[in-house]
Amino acid sequence: MPAKKVEARVEQLRRDLTEYARLYYHEGVSHVSDAEYDALYRELQALEAQHPELVDDASPTQRVGAPLPEGTSFDKVAHEVPMLSIDSLFTTEEVDDFVTSLGRFLKLEANELEAIAWSLEPKFDGVSASLLYVDGKLTRCVTRGDGAVGEDVTANLRTVRDLPLQLVGDAAPAVPALLEVRGEVLMRRDAFARLNERREERGETILANPRNATSGAVRRNDPAEVARYPLQFFPYGVARSEGAAFATHTETMEALHAWGFADSGLRRRVVGRDARIAYHDELEARRDDVPYDMDGVVAKIDDLALRERLGSRTRTLRWQYAHKFAALEAVSTLRAIEVQVGANGRLTPRAHLEPVDVGGVTVRHATLHNADHVANLGVRVGDRVFVYRAGDVIPQVEGVSRSAAGDAPKDWDASLPDSLKDTDGAVRTGVFHAWRAEFQMPSHCPACGTEAVAEGKFWRCPNRFGCPPQLVGRLEVLCGRGAFDIDRLGPKLIQQLIDAELVHSPADVFHLERDALVELDRWGAKSADNLMAQLEERRTIPFDRFLVALRIDEVGPSTAKLLAGAFGDLDGLRAATEEDFLAIDGIGEVAARKVSAWFDEPRNLELLERFAAGGVRVVPLERRAGGGVFEGLSVVVTGTLESYSRAEAKAIVEAQGGKVSSSVSAKTAFLVAGDKPGSKLKKAQELGVKVLDEEAFTAFVRGE
């Protein structure tokens, strides 16, 4: 392709990818499929690899940079405009007093003060940052720090997917020559929960809440690690602008959105005291529905000229305030610690608390994650503990307020909640309830009595086929939307079927008989007919969703798609070896070992036969297509490359039809080795695998 055409194609790809990302992250609209987006992205990567002179910092491929050298700290940067604090107000009376004081400062009559327009928005609980754009290009990102000096975290914030690297140039008004944007880095609660699930599966420390997770991510030394966090950015104002002038905050925020920034959709312009209070009360009532943690409302005078007149105090700005919500943290007494058995057999301690109101919700239970977490908290039964709740995130104990001391209260044993007792009144197995008792993970599963086994920080019941809670959990996964999507079978009905001994394995769902269902309590002919009809509809299922339904350890929806795409059907997967699994980029050693072991277990093979006997038909998927200089070849990338990140090198291989593996084997065609390649180079040399340095890799990609 001629040089001019290459350059034009690169620019077009960058514009298209930037616009598709903006529409996806900001508008919730997908103008192309994921596969189409990925193909365009890989094409751009390949062109930039072949023409490094065309690489630009604002390209979508350049979000992830190199890590800081070990032991290096972030550079300190002084804010040109200090990032001052906000006055926190907790009652409507305090809000009224604040606004009245503004009236006195401005020498306004009551009716004039009431006519002032305000811009209201959530006070998101994230990490504040200041972004500098020069000629529309992101050049520096700085944390708030102490308000006067922050830390340069540019490389990390460039990984935030909805943060524009290049402002949209054809929007109105025109992009200014210099723009300093202030905003909040944060993450959704559901994304945070999924992040913690993945960390727990890998045996990593559980993060306390989205705000702490965000703060930790922003200050990591490796941008590639930061990119794993589901961070987002919402602007809340402009500190400096050269080449664009605005009359109101509302105009400013609308311009930011036009230039490419995300908009939460929650900002509102209002006039009058009642409207301000109503917005606060409305948002507080909705705080569990809004997917981000927020602890109040920020109210700002909309008129920028009026703000100039008001100015600032030593630490705060006079023209804005924060009207806080009721606290989401409270103190309660730890009544007991119960060990629960999860769907995968994991034994998890759960706190039983004296009922306490946390942000308008009565909390009686909180997660304690694992035995190490309990030990680190230093909690004992009877302690007064801090309880934290944030929306849909499960409440958790964050520390000890006051340790239990002296003798137990007289009614301590008698007041133990009935939910912790069997029908005969005896305390259930696996419940620690004695005054000042220290928690220890039991040696046997409290549900079935099987000896527990240690797996890193966690303990698990290995009785996968006979432990009742595990059967319930496996059936819930099977009936879930990501698998067979049998919505007529919820948790209570699943438990009922197990208690009635109608199901002994997940596959038994497809062997249920109408007449047996009709005889159950609260089941009628219509309910049974509806379930039987749905089961008939759901007997045909795509391969990847069937893998999710099997509840193989380490195989969630994303891993299931990788396996289904690589092996096509169940026979191909069964015939694969652990080495074959490791050859798939995205499949690690633990997952490879778990999948391989699953098919070595005779009872799992019996389960597959039981599904087939129940009429379940698994629809195969087409295998991934190849194409290019690496077609059909397995490649491993190791070490530090100068011209590419490792992720970029992998994407180039895949764009050229290759398959990227995480480990070297006899099936490896090439090892692409950068600086400090480590043990993979030695293994490649021992196996006679061809090694490409960076120059040779680039030449091979170009076909030279």
Side-chain angles (χ1 to χ4, degrees):
M1 187 185 299
K4 287 188 176 180
K5 285 191 175 182
V6 171
E7 187 173 356
R9 180 56 179 163
V10 166
E11 288 302 318
Q12 184 63 51
L13 286 169
R14 287 173 183 166
R15 284 196 300 270
D16 289 347
L17 289 169
T18 299
E19 177 63 6
Y20 295 149
R22 186 191 70 81
L23 289 168
Y24 179 80
Y25 288 110
H26 300 176
E27 312 293 341
V29 177
S30 296
H31 277 208
V32 293
S33 68
D34 289 349
E36 289 173 308
Y37 182 92
D38 291 342
L40 295 173
Y41 189 89
R42 288 195 296 269
E43 181 185 352
L44 177 58
Q45 283 184 314
L47 287 173
E48 289 179 341
Q50 295 165 6
H51 302 275
E53 71 279 2
L54 297 180
V55 174
D56 187 281
D57 288 345
S59 172
T61 64
Q62 303 302 304
R63 284 193 176 273
V64 181
L68 288 175
E70 196 68 31
T72 303
S73 59
F74 296 101
D75 292 337
K76 301 292 184 181
V77 177
H79 294 293
E80 292 285 339
V81 178
M83 297 184 72
L84 300 180
S85 301
I86 303 176
D87 281 309
S88 293
L89 312 176
F90 295 91
T91 67
T92 55
E93 290 77 14
E94 290 178 343
V95 170
D96 290 340
D97 290 343
F98 180 93
V99 176
T100 299
S101 69
L102 295 187
R104 289 195 298 267
F105 186 92
L106 295 170
K107 296 180 172 57
L108 297 178
E109 298 294 334
N111 61 326
E112 295 174 309
L113 186 60
E114 181 70 4
I116 289 178
W118 294 78
S119 180
L120 309 177
E121 60 197 39
K123 186 178 184 298
F124 289 122
D125 193 11
V127 175
S128 292
S130 181
L131 317 179
L132 183 65
Y133 287 81
V134 177
D135 294 329
K137 185 181 293 187
L138 180 63
T139 59
R140 192 174 65 202
C141 306
V142 182
T143 62
R144 180 181 182 277
D146 62 4
V149 177
E151 293 179 314
D152 189 333
V153 291
T154 305
N156 287 346
L157 292 196
R158 286 176 60 87
T159 69
V160 179
R161 307 302 295 183
D162 68 347
L163 197 158
L165 302 180
Q166 176 76 51
L167 301 183
V168 179
D170 55 358
V175 173
L178 182 144
L179 182 73
E180 184 176 350
V181 180
R182 302 276 169 86
E184 204 79 3
V185 186
L186 71 172
M187 66 176 71
R188 291 174 60 103
R189 286 193 299 270
D190 54 358
F192 167 74
R194 290 192 295 271
L195 173 67
N196 255 347
E197 288 172 4
R198 293 193 295 270
R199 292 178 67 87
E200 191 171 17
E201 289 171 356
R202 295 192 295 265
E204 297 174 355
T205 304
I206 298 298
L207 303 172
N209 53 60
R211 202 257 177 220
N212 287 3
T214 300
S215 179
V218 167
R219 300 193 73 258
R220 293 192 70 125
N221 275 11
D222 187 353
E225 287 297 311
V226 181
R228 294 171 53 193
Y229 287 74
L231 301 178
Q232 293 180 251
F233 181 84
F234 285 135
Y236 56 63
V238 168
R240 291 185 290 158
S241 174
E242 296 179 6
F246 306 100
T248 66
H249 179 72
T250 299
E251 290 179 7
T252 305
M253 297 304 291
E254 289 173 349
L256 290 178
H257 184 51
W259 290 332
F261 286 95
D263 186 341
S264 70
L266 297 170
R267 181 172 42 82
R268 186 181 303 172
R269 183 181 184 274
V270 304
V271 175
R273 183 257 188 199
D274 290 347
R276 283 184 284 109
I277 300 303
Y279 176 86
H280 168 274
D281 294 346
E282 173 193 331
L283 206 58
E284 183 167 26
R286 292 177 54 201
R287 69 193 302 182
D288 285 353
D289 298 325
V290 174
Y292 306 94
D293 281 355
M294 51 187 184
D295 56 7
V297 166
V298 177
K300 307 174 181 179
I301 288 180
D302 198 42
D303 188 314
L304 301 187
L306 201 53
R307 291 187 187 182
E308 286 293 324
R309 287 179 57 192
L310 286 164
S312 64
R313 304 182 186 89
T314 303
R315 294 178 53 81
T316 62
L317 296 163
R318 285 196 179 92
W319 44 262
Q320 66 177 359
Y321 66 84
H323 189 176
K324 303 297 283 291
F325 295 154
L328 286 176
E329 187 176 74
V331 176
S332 180
T333 299
L334 179 61
R335 287 296 280 112
I337 299 176
E338 174 192 17
V339 176
Q340 293 187 308
V341 184
N344 60 357
R346 182 171 293 172
L347 308 185
T348 303
R350 181 172 77 152
H352 284 255
L353 307 162
E354 292 286 359
V356 60
D357 183 278
V358 185
V361 174
T362 300
V363 173
R364 292 181 171 83
H365 310 104
T367 181
L368 288 169
H369 300 298
N370 56 58
D372 285 352
H373 185 67
V374 179
N376 290 335
L377 289 173
V379 297
R380 296 186 181 190
V381 175
D383 286 351
R384 295 283 287 171
V385 295
F386 292 109
V387 184
Y388 174 82
R389 184 191 72 83
D392 295 330
V393 177
I394 298 171
Q396 51 194 316
V397 174
E398 288 202 315
V400 176
S401 169
R402 187 178 69 249
S403 298
D407 296 331
K410 293 180 180 180
D411 63 344
W412 183 257
D413 292 331
S415 63
L416 189 70
D418 291 338
S419 61
L420 295 173
K421 302 175 183 177
D422 291 326
T423 53
D424 60 1
V427 178
R428 290 204 312 269
T429 303
V431 174
F432 293 76
H433 65 96
W435 178 254
R436 299 182 67 188
E438 290 187 35
F439 175 76
Q440 289 184 329
M441 188 62 71
S443 60
H444 291 72
C445 172
C448 67
T450 303
E451 185 174 356
V453 296
E455 294 184 354
K457 294 183 178 181
F458 305 101
W459 289 82
R460 189 187 302 274
C461 170
N463 184 16
R464 179 183 180 88
F465 299 94
C467 185
Q470 294 191 60
L471 178 56
V472 172
R474 292 172 69 195
L475 280 164
E476 288 182 3
V477 171
L478 178 142
C479 295
R481 289 185 178 180
F484 281 94
D485 192 17
I486 306 171
D487 58 13
R488 293 189 177 277
L489 279 181
K492 290 183 179 179
L493 293 181
I494 288 172
Q495 186 65 60
Q496 186 182 24
L497 294 176
I498 293 173
D499 293 340
E501 298 187 354
L502 294 182
V503 294
H504 300 277
S505 83
D508 288 348
V509 167
F510 294 97
H511 293 266
L512 290 171
E513 297 180 357
R514 178 188 180 279
D515 292 344
L517 292 172
V518 172
E519 294 180 4
L520 298 176
D521 290 342
R522 300 183 301 280
W523 282 77
K526 186 175 182 180
S527 297
D529 288 340
N530 288 338
L531 176 59
M532 299 307 291
Q534 188 173 56
L535 289 174
E536 188 60 35
E537 292 175 358
R538 300 295 192 265
R539 277 186 164 87
T540 299
I541 185 171
F543 185 28
D544 59 323
R545 293 179 62 172
F546 182 67
L547 292 178
V548 173
L550 294 179
R551 194 59 176 86
I552 303 172
D553 288 346
E554 300 293 328
V555 178
S558 58
T559 301
K561 287 182 179 178
L562 290 174
L563 293 171
F567 300 104
D569 57 25
L570 199 55
D571 290 337
L573 184 61
R574 288 178 62 174
T577 65
E578 188 172 329
E579 189 175 88
D580 294 328
F581 298 138
L582 284 173
I584 304 170
D585 189 35
I587 303 292
E589 293 183 4
V590 175
R593 185 169 62 251
K594 293 284 188 180
V595 175
S596 182
W598 195 93
F599 285 98
D600 289 337
E601 169 57 58
R603 284 175 292 185
N604 288 331
L605 302 182
E606 292 173 7
L607 177 66
L608 295 177
E609 293 175 358
R610 183 70 171 161
F611 273 116
V616 171
R617 187 174 74 88
V618 181
V619 180
L621 298 183
E622 294 183 6
R623 295 189 180 218
R624 291 179 298 203
V629 296
F630 288 106
E631 182 174 3
L633 301 179
S634 177
V635 180
V636 176
V637 181
T638 187
T640 302
L641 304 174
E642 291 185 7
S643 301
Y644 321 91
S645 69
R646 289 174 64 180
E648 290 168 339
K650 289 180 180 180
I652 290 169
V653 172
E654 291 173 345
Q656 295 290 331
K659 186 164 56 175
V660 180
S661 174
S662 56
S663 60
V664 177
S665 71
K667 295 183 179 180
T668 304
F670 297 108
L671 174 74
V672 180
D675 187 36
K676 298 179 180 178
S679 60
K680 291 180 182 178
L681 176 60
K682 182 179 179 181
K683 187 171 183 180
Q685 292 169 336
E686 292 173 350
L687 294 174
V689 173
K690 186 172 182 178
V691 178
L692 301 177
D693 61 16
E694 187 169 347
E695 183 178 351
F697 172 69
T698 301
F700 192 86
V701 171
R702 292 174 176 172
E704 297 174 358

